Amino acid sequence: HADLVIMGSMGGGPALPPNFDPAVIDRAREVPGVEHVVGMRADMALLTTRSGAAPQYVGAADVGGLARVFGLRATAGELRELRSGEIVLDSSFAADNGLTAGATLRLQTQRGDERQVTVVGVYESELLGIPILSEDDALAGFRTTQLNEAYLQLSEGADTAAVQQQIDQLLAGNPEVSVQDQTDLLAAARSQVDTMVVMLYVLLGLALVIAVLGIVNTLALSILERTRELGLVRAIGMRRGQIMQMVTAESVVIAVFGALLGVAVGAGLGAAVVLALADEGLSELGLPWASMGTFVGLAVVIGLVAAIVPAVRAARTNVLSAIAYE
């Protein structure tokens, strides 16, 4: 529910995302039109439960502020300001490790000793899914005391563009971090998905090249194995054009069958991915009917192209030599 978000591009694995001075959000609170600001620190930590020890991306922030911004819903315990030695868990992590409010687990931050922390609450959220520590524990144990993200809610009637411009001036000395509105965040998320789709289309293009070679190879072997049969049908009156039509039809059937099979399997796998990532916010399945229809039509073209060489070779088969082939 934030109108503006201060953040940089996220890095994978143990790499820290870009950070910025906490004084930025103090000055942001003074900007006219800003009603509420909550900042969050993030780092990797080692969490040890009955299921074992595993590195986990964790955050530290005002839990009440996060609940307001992300619409967190408490499923156990309470979502309140945390004291040192307390932690709030997302429902997925809690369920996977058999934890609920009142349970304890071992925590080791990057710069701190291993210690026991108590679960004071479990939350559900479609947008946030990491354990949350107290800010005191983060300041003592995280690799940096800087903030990684901040979420700003504006008062009703505030000029979002004007506020964004003023916040952007506060970040002028940190080019890795920027302030974005929800439209910018959506565009950034869409850009990541578009990049992934482009990579898939590149792989699809390579698969099409391999498919053409595969069809040509299959038809060439088929014609070689049917040399005598081709000679016989030519002997009883089949013309060269009809031979070429027969081979072309076989090629198109192979290509279209492969395309339909690929569309069916791909749609099934896509639906499975959506079901698997429903808890991550990807809950709607959209099938690109136009693209699927285009590629099925392209399969017909590929079948026609792949049939050229085998069809010509079959049409040029010598009748007498073919009959005596075996």
Side-chain angles (χ1 to χ4, degrees):
H1 304 296
D3 298 292
L4 297 173
V5 177
I6 301 175
M7 65 185 303
S9 59
M10 291 292 291
L16 279 174
N19 50 59
F20 57 94
D21 190 342
V24 170
I25 65 171
D26 294 331
R27 294 197 292 269
R29 291 187 176 97
E30 301 173 358
V31 174
V34 176
E35 181 177 343
H36 179 68
V37 182
V38 57
M40 184 164 70
R41 297 172 175 85
D43 203 354
M44 296 297 295
L46 186 67
L47 298 183
T48 305
T49 66
R50 289 178 297 177
S51 304
Q56 179 74 26
Y57 198 72
V58 298
D62 171 24
V63 174
L66 287 182
R68 175 176 175 174
V69 171
F70 286 97
L72 307 184
R73 302 176 298 277
T75 60
E78 55 184 337
L79 303 180
R80 57 168 174 77
E81 184 178 354
L82 300 178
R83 295 184 290 271
S84 180
E86 295 180 337
I87 190 172
V88 170
L89 302 177
D90 60 288
S91 57
S92 297
F93 182 87
D96 291 343
N97 293 279
L99 299 171
T100 188
T104 59
L105 65 154
R106 305 294 295 181
L107 167 74
Q108 184 174 9
T109 53
Q110 295 288 332
R111 295 192 296 114
D113 297 329
E114 186 177 9
R115 58 186 298 188
Q116 183 171 287
V117 293
T118 302
V119 180
V120 299
V122 178
Y123 70 87
E124 279 188 351
S125 173
E126 295 180 354
L127 297 175
L128 190 67
I130 59 174
I132 305 297
L133 307 178
S134 71
E135 294 189 85
D136 290 339
D137 288 343
L139 291 172
F142 280 8
R143 280 176 283 181
T144 176
T145 58
Q146 301 283 75
L147 292 172
N148 300 102
E149 300 174 11
Y151 304 92
L152 290 74
Q153 290 180 317
L154 308 185
S155 56
E156 186 175 354
D159 187 342
T160 302
V163 174
Q164 184 174 1
Q165 185 176 8
Q166 294 184 64
I167 301 299
D168 198 40
Q169 292 176 358
L170 299 178
L171 298 168
N174 192 340
E176 290 186 309
V177 179
S178 62
V179 57
Q180 306 173 68
D181 59 16
Q182 292 198 6
T183 302
D184 297 331
L185 287 173
L186 179 61
R190 182 175 294 153
S191 175
Q192 293 179 359
V193 175
D194 289 345
T195 300
M196 189 182 304
V197 171
V198 169
M199 294 175 63
L200 291 176
Y201 275 123
V202 171
L203 294 175
L204 177 60
L206 295 175
L208 292 178
V209 173
I210 296 172
V212 171
L213 297 177
I215 294 174
V216 171
N217 186 56
T218 299
L219 291 176
L221 291 175
S222 174
I223 291 169
L224 181 63
E225 293 173 352
R226 293 182 297 169
T227 300
R228 189 167 186 274
E229 287 77 4
L230 290 173
L232 289 174
V233 294
R234 285 294 311 282
I236 62 176
M238 181 175 279
R239 298 187 297 274
R240 288 185 175 182
Q242 293 173 316
I243 291 285
M244 295 180 68
Q245 291 176 8
M246 179 184 69
V247 174
T248 301
E250 292 177 3
S251 178
V252 171
V253 168
I254 293 173
V256 172
F257 177 79
L260 293 176
L261 182 62
V263 167
V265 173
L269 292 176
V273 169
V274 170
L275 290 175
L277 297 180
D279 294 337
E280 305 295 329
L282 297 178
S283 57
E284 295 186 16
L285 175 65
L287 296 177
W289 296 108
S291 296
M292 292 191 294
T294 299
F295 284 112
V296 171
L298 184 60
V300 176
V301 177
I302 290 175
L304 294 173
V305 172
I308 294 175
V309 174
V312 171
R313 180 176 178 179
R316 291 179 177 178
T317 301
N318 185 281
V319 177
L320 295 179
S321 298
I323 294 174
Y325 180 73
E326 297 180 353

